[in-house]
Amino acid sequence: MFDIINFGKVESTNKLAFKLIEEGRISRNSIIIADSQISGRGRHDRVWESPEGNLYMSLVMRLQDNFRATDYSFLAACAVGDTLKSFGIESLYKWPNDIMFRNKKLAGILIQTENINQINNMVIGIGLNLVSAPQYAISLSEYNIKRDDFVEKFIKSFSSYDLEYQQFGFRVIRNKWRQNCYKLNEQIILSNGVSGILRDIDDTGNLLIVDELGNIQKITVAEIL
Ligand code: BT5
């Protein structure tokens, strides 16, 4: 199980997590939660809007040898989705790291790894709009979900997925994830110019697209537009 450590306003829970690991001040089974972030970040250093009231958390773990950090992005999405479902909210998972609700972004996941003192550390940052969201995104303001209730359920779900993952590998996670895949079997356009039908993810989490000529294209890095 995880030790939960609460903070008020921080720069970024992911950044704080690595600082605390370096200083030897947290165990590798902790969750850092903040009320707000001054410089919350997404991938490629993009801004994550982080006003008070939403959920900003970072799970601190040791990344076991031969496990892939990217697998945890799918695993965490499944755990967020199942937790939302327990509150009656049906979400979809947008490759590679977003949670969508009513066709808009509700949550994002940022996984970072760093080797410190010969240990591979993984920090899984999750931002979820419980009460407010930027104009283009969406929140759960109408649902009145308490942050601590969400976190408690999330930890249970995450831990049980993690056990399954350790026993059976990525296959279980992949099957679960694709059941809620956003735009599955629909036409999509990617940031790298590729377009086609979103068919699946493969056994390492790459996106599989069928293009106009019927060829399968494997996409490792890009965004769905
Ligand atoms: C993500 O990045 O979606 C990962 C976000 C992870 C945030 C958490 S909060 C706790 C932890 N500490 C951190 O500093 N980060 C993690 P990406 O796929 O790059 O998406 C970033 C984009 O999402 C931005 O460029 C905006 O378009 C959009 N965005 C920003 N803030 C948002 C919000 N609150 N809700 C929905 N979309 C947002």
Side-chain angles (χ1 to χ4, degrees):
M1 267 303 176
F2 288 91
D3 298 325
I4 298 177
I5 314 168
N6 288 296
F7 290 86
K9 190 187 274 187
V10 305
E11 257 186 76
S12 144
T13 55
N14 271 34
K15 206 171 157 187
L16 177 61
F18 283 114
K19 183 169 175 270
L20 294 176
I21 299 170
E22 266 167 38
E23 293 170 354
R25 286 164 62 195
I26 46 169
S27 78
R28 281 165 187 92
N29 261 317
S30 308
I31 296 189
I32 291 174
I33 299 178
D35 295 336
S36 64
Q37 301 183 118
I38 299 160
S39 51
R41 285 289 174 266
R43 290 171 306 141
H44 314 298
D45 218 27
R46 289 188 283 238
V47 169
W48 185 259
E49 302 290 345
S50 310
E52 215 169 286
N54 296 326
L55 171 64
Y56 311 105
M57 67 175 169
S58 294
L59 284 75
V60 179
M61 297 172 68
R62 183 183 181 141
L63 181 63
Q64 315 271 357
D65 293 344
N66 69 42
F67 288 166
R68 280 186 304 257
T70 50
D71 291 352
Y72 276 91
S73 181
F74 298 93
L75 192 157
C78 290
V80 170
D82 280 10
T83 308
L84 289 169
K85 199 165 182 173
S86 75
F87 290 101
I89 298 156
E90 295 290 339
S91 61
L92 291 173
Y93 314 149
K94 182 177 170 196
W95 186 87
N97 71 324
D98 294 347
I99 310 286
M100 308 294 284
F101 177 52
R102 296 181 185 154
N103 233 9
K104 289 184 169 163
K105 186 158 169 174
L106 172 67
I109 298 166
L110 172 69
I111 302 205
Q112 295 178 298
T113 54
E114 209 175 294
N115 190 290
I116 300 169
N117 300 330
Q118 267 92 60
I119 292 176
N120 274 326
N121 300 283
M122 173 167 65
V123 171
I124 304 177
I126 300 176
L128 175 95
N129 300 323
L130 285 175
V131 301
S132 71
Q135 213 196 335
Y136 51 82
I138 195 165
S139 82
L140 301 175
S141 55
E142 71 206 74
Y143 286 88
N144 255 321
I145 298 172
K146 293 212 168 55
R147 186 180 79 179
D148 292 352
D149 294 344
F150 185 93
V151 171
E152 195 187 314
K153 288 186 176 176
F154 170 82
I155 291 173
K156 285 196 184 122
S157 174
F158 182 92
S159 303
S160 85
Y161 275 123
D162 195 22
L163 272 181
E164 276 194 275
Y165 174 65
Q166 294 187 31
Q167 267 188 293
F168 306 112
F170 185 57
R171 199 148 51 97
V172 190
I173 305 301
R174 176 191 176 197
N175 287 339
K176 183 73 196 176
W177 189 92
R178 63 145 78 94
Q179 284 171 18
N180 286 310
C181 175
Y182 178 72
K183 301 241 183 226
L184 185 69
N185 295 320
E186 289 180 36
Q187 178 80 25
I188 58 162
I189 302 173
L190 294 165
S191 52
N192 59 6
V194 174
S195 64
I197 308 285
L198 194 169
R199 206 23 64 78
D200 208 347
I201 54 167
D202 72 8
D203 53 15
T204 54
N206 295 306
L207 192 64
L208 300 177
I209 304 287
V210 182
D211 67 19
E212 290 83 66
L213 301 170
N215 298 320
I216 294 182
Q217 300 231 20
K218 187 170 89 177
I219 311 292
T220 305
V221 190
E223 316 275 330
I224 297 176
L225 301 179

